[in-house]
Amino acid sequence: MIRFELMRAQHIDEILEIEKKCFPDDPWTRNMFESELGNKMSVFVCGIDEDSEKVAAYGGMWLIADLSEITNIAVDPAFQREGIGGRLLSLLINICRERKAAAVHLEVRDGNIPAVSMYEKFGFKRVGLRKKYYGGKHDAILMTKIL
Ligand SMILES: CC(C)(COP(=O)(O)OP(=O)(O)OC[C@H]1O[C@@H](n2cnc3c(N)ncnc32)[C@H](O)[C@@H]1OP(=O)(O)O)[C@@H](O)C(=O)NCCC(=O)NCCS
């Protein structure tokens, strides 16, 4: 069973391990996760595996006025395709609704089929493309869900 809770400093070591597996080319650093903790605009959630009490997934966003931007979302490869990413995304969307956000935005690397499929399943639409956004090589697809 996975339970979701707000990210705390003690989760970051385990998050960094997953981050390296999920984004080997450009993982977020410890500093980046730590700065989310001190950022009032940020909502960052962890999924904890209740068997091991270890982090299995995490995701976060910024909420600014009535706009929201998902900044990161990842599921440990050992836990992928079990519905956890979808649960995490719907949790973030529900928080947006509670906070009266009008839309949720995100960027995803072109060719990231699992992520693009998940976002489309949850009603995100492609609204733009940023050429060579990731490492000067891969395009970013801009996606939006109107709430
Ligand atoms: C994208 C990611 C978060 C999905 O997490 P997950 O827990 O495996 O996803 P779920 O099991 O909840 O699946 C939800 C939906 O995502 C899509 N999906 C997930 N994995 C997929 C795959 N390998 N191929 C195609 N679609 C996939 C499907 O639409 C799926 O719905 P379905 O089960 O009804 O087919 C996960 O693959 C991941 O962490 N990837 C690496 C990090 C990453 O790319 N993050 C997104 C950055 S923008």
Short mmCIF file of all heavy atoms in Angstrom, two decimals, residues 33-85:
data_model
loop_
_atom_site.label_atom_id
_atom_site.label_comp_id
_atom_site.label_asym_id
_atom_site.label_seq_id
_atom_site.Cartn_x
_atom_site.Cartn_y
_atom_site.Cartn_z
N PHE A 33 15.51 20.15 -4.35
CA PHE A 33 14.43 19.61 -3.51
C PHE A 33 14.33 20.39 -2.20
O PHE A 33 13.23 20.69 -1.73
CB PHE A 33 14.66 18.11 -3.24
CG PHE A 33 14.37 17.26 -4.44
CD1 PHE A 33 15.39 16.73 -5.21
CD2 PHE A 33 13.06 17.00 -4.83
CE1 PHE A 33 15.12 15.96 -6.34
CE2 PHE A 33 12.77 16.23 -5.95
CZ PHE A 33 13.81 15.70 -6.70
N GLU A 34 15.49 20.72 -1.62
CA GLU A 34 15.44 21.47 -0.34
C GLU A 34 14.77 22.82 -0.53
O GLU A 34 14.04 23.27 0.35
CB GLU A 34 16.87 21.64 0.20
CG GLU A 34 17.34 20.36 0.87
CD GLU A 34 18.79 20.40 1.32
OE1 GLU A 34 19.50 21.38 1.02
OE2 GLU A 34 19.22 19.42 1.96
N SER A 35 15.01 23.45 -1.68
CA SER A 35 14.42 24.78 -1.83
C SER A 35 12.91 24.70 -2.00
O SER A 35 12.19 25.64 -1.66
CB SER A 35 15.09 25.58 -2.96
OG SER A 35 14.68 25.06 -4.17
N GLU A 36 12.40 23.55 -2.47
CA GLU A 36 10.94 23.39 -2.52
C GLU A 36 10.33 23.43 -1.12
O GLU A 36 9.22 23.93 -0.92
CB GLU A 36 10.56 22.06 -3.19
CG GLU A 36 10.93 21.96 -4.65
CD GLU A 36 10.27 23.01 -5.51
OE1 GLU A 36 9.03 23.12 -5.50
OE2 GLU A 36 11.01 23.76 -6.19
N LEU A 37 11.08 22.88 -0.14
CA LEU A 37 10.56 22.83 1.24
C LEU A 37 10.35 24.23 1.82
O LEU A 37 9.46 24.44 2.63
CB LEU A 37 11.53 22.06 2.15
CG LEU A 37 11.59 20.55 1.95
CD1 LEU A 37 12.70 19.96 2.81
CD2 LEU A 37 10.26 19.90 2.27
N GLY A 38 11.20 25.15 1.40
CA GLY A 38 11.10 26.50 1.95
C GLY A 38 10.31 27.44 1.07
O GLY A 38 10.27 28.64 1.33
N ASN A 39 9.69 26.92 0.03
CA ASN A 39 9.01 27.76 -0.94
C ASN A 39 7.50 27.73 -0.70
O ASN A 39 6.87 26.67 -0.84
CB ASN A 39 9.35 27.24 -2.35
CG ASN A 39 8.73 28.09 -3.43
OD1 ASN A 39 7.79 28.83 -3.20
ND2 ASN A 39 9.26 27.95 -4.62
N LYS A 40 6.95 28.85 -0.35
CA LYS A 40 5.51 28.88 -0.01
C LYS A 40 4.62 28.58 -1.21
O LYS A 40 3.46 28.21 -1.03
CB LYS A 40 5.15 30.27 0.55
CG LYS A 40 5.70 30.50 1.94
CD LYS A 40 4.90 31.61 2.64
CE LYS A 40 5.33 31.73 4.08
NZ LYS A 40 6.14 32.93 4.34
N MET A 41 5.15 28.74 -2.42
CA MET A 41 4.33 28.46 -3.61
C MET A 41 4.31 26.97 -3.93
O MET A 41 3.52 26.52 -4.76
CB MET A 41 4.91 29.21 -4.83
CG MET A 41 4.73 30.69 -4.74
SD MET A 41 5.32 31.53 -6.23
CE MET A 41 7.06 31.18 -6.20
N SER A 42 5.22 26.22 -3.30
CA SER A 42 5.40 24.83 -3.69
C SER A 42 4.55 23.87 -2.84
O SER A 42 4.45 24.03 -1.62
CB SER A 42 6.88 24.47 -3.52
OG SER A 42 7.07 23.08 -3.63
N VAL A 43 3.96 22.90 -3.52
CA VAL A 43 3.31 21.78 -2.83
C VAL A 43 4.02 20.54 -3.34
O VAL A 43 4.01 20.28 -4.55
CB VAL A 43 1.81 21.68 -3.17
CG1 VAL A 43 1.19 20.47 -2.51
CG2 VAL A 43 1.08 22.95 -2.77
N PHE A 44 4.66 19.80 -2.46
CA PHE A 44 5.43 18.63 -2.89
C PHE A 44 5.00 17.42 -2.06
O PHE A 44 4.98 17.46 -0.84
CB PHE A 44 6.93 18.89 -2.71
CG PHE A 44 7.73 18.46 -3.90
CD1 PHE A 44 8.07 19.37 -4.88
CD2 PHE A 44 8.10 17.14 -4.06
CE1 PHE A 44 8.79 18.98 -6.00
CE2 PHE A 44 8.81 16.72 -5.18
CZ PHE A 44 9.17 17.64 -6.16
N VAL A 45 4.65 16.34 -2.76
CA VAL A 45 4.04 15.18 -2.10
C VAL A 45 4.91 13.95 -2.35
O VAL A 45 5.48 13.80 -3.42
CB VAL A 45 2.62 14.96 -2.70
CG1 VAL A 45 1.98 13.73 -2.12
CG2 VAL A 45 1.74 16.17 -2.45
N CYS A 46 5.00 13.07 -1.35
CA CYS A 46 5.69 11.79 -1.51
C CYS A 46 4.70 10.65 -1.36
O CYS A 46 3.79 10.72 -0.52
CB CYS A 46 6.73 11.58 -0.41
SG CYS A 46 8.15 12.61 -0.59
N GLY A 47 4.90 9.58 -2.14
CA GLY A 47 4.17 8.34 -1.93
C GLY A 47 5.08 7.40 -1.18
O GLY A 47 6.19 7.10 -1.64
N ILE A 48 4.63 6.95 -0.02
CA ILE A 48 5.46 6.09 0.84
C ILE A 48 4.94 4.65 0.75
O ILE A 48 3.74 4.40 0.94
CB ILE A 48 5.38 6.54 2.32
CG1 ILE A 48 5.66 8.05 2.46
CG2 ILE A 48 6.30 5.70 3.20
CD1 ILE A 48 7.08 8.46 2.17
N ASP A 49 5.86 3.74 0.46
CA ASP A 49 5.52 2.31 0.45
C ASP A 49 5.41 1.84 1.90
O ASP A 49 6.40 1.88 2.64
CB ASP A 49 6.61 1.55 -0.31
CG ASP A 49 6.49 0.05 -0.12
OD1 ASP A 49 5.35 -0.45 -0.09
OD2 ASP A 49 7.53 -0.62 0.03
N GLU A 50 4.22 1.40 2.29
CA GLU A 50 4.00 1.10 3.72
C GLU A 50 4.67 -0.20 4.16
O GLU A 50 4.83 -0.43 5.35
CB GLU A 50 2.50 1.11 4.03
CG GLU A 50 1.93 2.51 3.83
CD GLU A 50 0.56 2.71 4.41
OE1 GLU A 50 -0.29 1.80 4.29
OE2 GLU A 50 0.32 3.79 5.00
N ASP A 51 5.10 -1.05 3.22
CA ASP A 51 5.85 -2.25 3.62
C ASP A 51 7.25 -1.87 4.09
O ASP A 51 7.73 -2.38 5.10
CB ASP A 51 5.97 -3.23 2.45
CG ASP A 51 4.64 -3.88 2.13
OD1 ASP A 51 3.79 -3.95 3.05
OD2 ASP A 51 4.43 -4.29 0.97
N SER A 52 7.90 -0.98 3.33
CA SER A 52 9.30 -0.65 3.63
C SER A 52 9.45 0.71 4.32
O SER A 52 10.52 1.03 4.82
CB SER A 52 10.11 -0.61 2.33
OG SER A 52 9.60 0.40 1.49
N GLU A 53 8.34 1.50 4.29
CA GLU A 53 8.38 2.90 4.78
C GLU A 53 9.38 3.75 3.98
O GLU A 53 9.90 4.74 4.48
CB GLU A 53 8.68 2.98 6.29
CG GLU A 53 7.47 2.64 7.16
CD GLU A 53 6.27 3.58 6.93
OE1 GLU A 53 6.45 4.80 6.93
OE2 GLU A 53 5.14 3.06 6.75
N LYS A 54 9.62 3.34 2.72
CA LYS A 54 10.52 4.13 1.87
C LYS A 54 9.72 4.89 0.82
O LYS A 54 8.60 4.47 0.45
CB LYS A 54 11.51 3.19 1.16
CG LYS A 54 12.56 2.66 2.10
CD LYS A 54 13.66 1.99 1.31
CE LYS A 54 14.94 1.96 2.11
NZ LYS A 54 16.06 1.47 1.37
N VAL A 55 10.34 5.95 0.31
CA VAL A 55 9.69 6.73 -0.74
C VAL A 55 9.62 5.89 -2.02
O VAL A 55 10.63 5.31 -2.45
CB VAL A 55 10.47 8.04 -1.01
CG1 VAL A 55 9.85 8.80 -2.18
CG2 VAL A 55 10.53 8.91 0.24
N ALA A 56 8.43 5.81 -2.62
CA ALA A 56 8.25 5.07 -3.88
C ALA A 56 7.92 6.03 -5.02
O ALA A 56 8.05 5.65 -6.19
CB ALA A 56 7.13 4.05 -3.72
N ALA A 57 7.49 7.23 -4.70
CA ALA A 57 7.08 8.18 -5.74
C ALA A 57 7.04 9.58 -5.13
O ALA A 57 6.95 9.72 -3.91
CB ALA A 57 5.69 7.81 -6.25
N TYR A 58 7.12 10.57 -6.00
CA TYR A 58 7.00 11.96 -5.50
C TYR A 58 6.58 12.84 -6.66
O TYR A 58 6.75 12.49 -7.84
CB TYR A 58 8.32 12.47 -4.90
CG TYR A 58 9.49 12.28 -5.82
CD1 TYR A 58 9.85 13.26 -6.75
CD2 TYR A 58 10.22 11.09 -5.79
CE1 TYR A 58 10.90 13.05 -7.62
CE2 TYR A 58 11.26 10.88 -6.67
CZ TYR A 58 11.60 11.86 -7.58
OH TYR A 58 12.63 11.66 -8.46
N GLY A 59 5.99 13.95 -6.29
CA GLY A 59 5.59 14.90 -7.33
C GLY A 59 5.29 16.23 -6.68
O GLY A 59 4.88 16.30 -5.52
N GLY A 60 5.51 17.27 -7.46
CA GLY A 60 5.29 18.58 -6.89
C GLY A 60 4.89 19.60 -7.92
O GLY A 60 4.95 19.35 -9.13
N MET A 61 4.45 20.73 -7.42
CA MET A 61 4.00 21.81 -8.31
C MET A 61 4.14 23.14 -7.59
O MET A 61 4.32 23.19 -6.37
CB MET A 61 2.54 21.58 -8.70
CG MET A 61 1.60 21.57 -7.50
SD MET A 61 -0.05 21.10 -8.02
CE MET A 61 -0.84 20.96 -6.41
N TRP A 62 4.05 24.17 -8.40
CA TRP A 62 3.96 25.52 -7.87
C TRP A 62 2.55 26.03 -8.10
O TRP A 62 1.99 25.82 -9.18
CB TRP A 62 4.94 26.45 -8.59
CG TRP A 62 6.35 26.30 -8.14
CD1 TRP A 62 6.89 25.25 -7.47
CD2 TRP A 62 7.41 27.24 -8.34
NE1 TRP A 62 8.22 25.47 -7.25
CE2 TRP A 62 8.57 26.68 -7.77
CE3 TRP A 62 7.50 28.49 -8.96
CZ2 TRP A 62 9.80 27.34 -7.78
CZ3 TRP A 62 8.71 29.15 -8.98
CH2 TRP A 62 9.85 28.58 -8.39
N LEU A 63 2.02 26.67 -7.10
CA LEU A 63 0.70 27.30 -7.21
C LEU A 63 0.90 28.80 -7.06
O LEU A 63 1.33 29.27 -6.00
CB LEU A 63 -0.22 26.79 -6.10
CG LEU A 63 -0.91 25.46 -6.39
CD1 LEU A 63 -1.27 24.75 -5.11
CD2 LEU A 63 -2.15 25.67 -7.24
N ILE A 64 0.63 29.51 -8.13
CA ILE A 64 0.83 30.96 -8.14
C ILE A 64 -0.47 31.59 -8.59
O ILE A 64 -0.90 31.37 -9.73
CB ILE A 64 1.96 31.36 -9.12
CG1 ILE A 64 3.23 30.55 -8.83
CG2 ILE A 64 2.24 32.86 -9.05
CD1 ILE A 64 4.23 30.55 -9.96
N ALA A 65 -1.08 32.35 -7.69
CA ALA A 65 -2.41 32.92 -7.96
C ALA A 65 -3.31 31.78 -8.46
O ALA A 65 -3.40 30.76 -7.81
CB ALA A 65 -2.31 34.08 -8.95
N ASP A 66 -3.93 31.92 -9.64
CA ASP A 66 -4.83 30.85 -10.05
C ASP A 66 -4.18 29.91 -11.07
O ASP A 66 -4.86 29.18 -11.75
CB ASP A 66 -6.16 31.42 -10.58
CG ASP A 66 -5.98 32.14 -11.91
OD1 ASP A 66 -4.82 32.48 -12.24
OD2 ASP A 66 -6.99 32.36 -12.60
N LEU A 67 -2.84 29.93 -11.13
CA LEU A 67 -2.16 29.04 -12.06
C LEU A 67 -1.32 28.02 -11.31
O LEU A 67 -0.79 28.30 -10.23
CB LEU A 67 -1.24 29.83 -12.98
CG LEU A 67 -1.94 30.71 -14.00
CD1 LEU A 67 -0.92 31.39 -14.88
CD2 LEU A 67 -2.91 29.90 -14.85
N SER A 68 -1.20 26.86 -11.91
CA SER A 68 -0.37 25.83 -11.31
C SER A 68 0.55 25.24 -12.37
O SER A 68 0.15 25.09 -13.52
CB SER A 68 -1.28 24.75 -10.75
OG SER A 68 -0.53 23.60 -10.55
N GLU A 69 1.77 24.90 -11.93
CA GLU A 69 2.75 24.30 -12.85
C GLU A 69 3.31 23.07 -12.15
O GLU A 69 3.92 23.20 -11.06
CB GLU A 69 3.85 25.34 -13.12
CG GLU A 69 5.07 24.78 -13.80
CD GLU A 69 5.15 25.11 -15.30
OE1 GLU A 69 4.49 26.09 -15.70
OE2 GLU A 69 5.84 24.39 -16.01
N ILE A 70 3.12 21.92 -12.75
CA ILE A 70 3.73 20.71 -12.19
C ILE A 70 5.23 20.76 -12.51
O ILE A 70 5.62 20.96 -13.65
CB ILE A 70 3.07 19.45 -12.75
CG1 ILE A 70 1.63 19.37 -12.21
CG2 ILE A 70 3.86 18.20 -12.39
CD1 ILE A 70 0.82 18.18 -12.65
N THR A 71 6.06 20.62 -11.47
CA THR A 71 7.50 20.80 -11.65
C THR A 71 8.24 19.48 -11.72
O THR A 71 9.34 19.43 -12.28
CB THR A 71 8.08 21.64 -10.49
OG1 THR A 71 7.68 21.04 -9.25
CG2 THR A 71 7.58 23.08 -10.56
N ASN A 72 7.69 18.44 -11.14
CA ASN A 72 8.39 17.15 -11.12
C ASN A 72 7.39 16.08 -10.74
O ASN A 72 6.50 16.33 -9.91
CB ASN A 72 9.52 17.20 -10.09
CG ASN A 72 10.55 16.10 -10.28
OD1 ASN A 72 10.26 15.08 -10.91
ND2 ASN A 72 11.74 16.30 -9.75
N ILE A 73 7.52 14.92 -11.34
CA ILE A 73 6.71 13.77 -10.92
C ILE A 73 7.46 12.51 -11.33
O ILE A 73 7.95 12.43 -12.46
CB ILE A 73 5.27 13.87 -11.49
CG1 ILE A 73 4.36 12.76 -10.98
CG2 ILE A 73 5.23 13.89 -12.98
CD1 ILE A 73 2.87 13.09 -11.16
N ALA A 74 7.62 11.59 -10.42
CA ALA A 74 8.36 10.37 -10.73
C ALA A 74 7.93 9.24 -9.80
O ALA A 74 7.59 9.46 -8.64
CB ALA A 74 9.87 10.60 -10.58
N VAL A 75 7.98 8.05 -10.37
CA VAL A 75 7.68 6.83 -9.61
C VAL A 75 8.91 5.93 -9.72
O VAL A 75 9.45 5.74 -10.83
CB VAL A 75 6.43 6.12 -10.20
CG1 VAL A 75 6.18 4.80 -9.49
CG2 VAL A 75 5.21 7.03 -10.13
N ASP A 76 9.38 5.42 -8.60
CA ASP A 76 10.50 4.47 -8.62
C ASP A 76 10.21 3.37 -9.65
O ASP A 76 9.11 2.81 -9.63
CB ASP A 76 10.63 3.86 -7.21
CG ASP A 76 11.86 2.97 -7.09
OD1 ASP A 76 12.21 2.26 -8.06
OD2 ASP A 76 12.48 2.98 -6.01
N PRO A 77 11.18 3.07 -10.55
CA PRO A 77 10.92 2.04 -11.57
C PRO A 77 10.36 0.74 -10.99
O PRO A 77 9.54 0.09 -11.63
CB PRO A 77 12.30 1.84 -12.21
CG PRO A 77 12.98 3.16 -12.04
CD PRO A 77 12.49 3.72 -10.72
N ALA A 78 10.75 0.39 -9.77
CA ALA A 78 10.25 -0.86 -9.16
C ALA A 78 8.75 -0.79 -8.88
O ALA A 78 8.11 -1.82 -8.65
CB ALA A 78 11.01 -1.15 -7.87
N PHE A 79 8.18 0.41 -8.89
CA PHE A 79 6.76 0.59 -8.55
C PHE A 79 5.95 1.12 -9.73
O PHE A 79 4.78 1.47 -9.55
CB PHE A 79 6.62 1.56 -7.36
CG PHE A 79 7.09 1.00 -6.06
CD1 PHE A 79 8.41 1.12 -5.66
CD2 PHE A 79 6.19 0.35 -5.22
CE1 PHE A 79 8.84 0.60 -4.45
CE2 PHE A 79 6.61 -0.18 -4.01
CZ PHE A 79 7.94 -0.05 -3.62
N GLN A 80 6.59 1.23 -10.90
CA GLN A 80 5.85 1.79 -12.03
C GLN A 80 4.79 0.81 -12.55
O GLN A 80 4.86 -0.38 -12.33
CB GLN A 80 6.83 2.18 -13.16
CG GLN A 80 7.62 3.43 -12.80
CD GLN A 80 8.65 3.85 -13.85
OE1 GLN A 80 8.74 3.26 -14.92
NE2 GLN A 80 9.45 4.84 -13.51
N ARG A 81 3.80 1.38 -13.24
CA ARG A 81 2.70 0.63 -13.87
C ARG A 81 1.80 -0.06 -12.84
O ARG A 81 1.21 -1.09 -13.10
CB ARG A 81 3.24 -0.41 -14.87
CG ARG A 81 3.97 0.23 -16.02
CD ARG A 81 3.27 0.18 -17.35
NE ARG A 81 1.98 0.86 -17.45
CZ ARG A 81 1.28 0.92 -18.57
NH1 ARG A 81 1.70 0.34 -19.66
NH2 ARG A 81 0.13 1.56 -18.59
N GLU A 82 1.75 0.53 -11.64
CA GLU A 82 0.84 0.00 -10.62
C GLU A 82 -0.24 1.02 -10.28
O GLU A 82 -0.92 0.89 -9.27
CB GLU A 82 1.62 -0.35 -9.34
CG GLU A 82 2.57 -1.51 -9.52
CD GLU A 82 3.35 -1.83 -8.24
OE1 GLU A 82 2.95 -1.40 -7.15
OE2 GLU A 82 4.39 -2.50 -8.37
N GLY A 83 -0.31 2.08 -11.05
CA GLY A 83 -1.33 3.09 -10.80
C GLY A 83 -0.90 4.21 -9.86
O GLY A 83 -1.69 5.11 -9.55
N ILE A 84 0.35 4.18 -9.41
CA ILE A 84 0.79 5.16 -8.41
C ILE A 84 0.96 6.55 -9.04
O ILE A 84 0.55 7.57 -8.47
CB ILE A 84 2.09 4.70 -7.73
CG1 ILE A 84 1.85 3.38 -7.01
CG2 ILE A 84 2.61 5.77 -6.76
CD1 ILE A 84 3.11 2.68 -6.56
N GLY A 85 1.55 6.59 -10.26
CA GLY A 85 1.72 7.88 -10.93
C GLY A 85 0.38 8.55 -11.16
O GLY A 85 0.23 9.77 -10.92
#
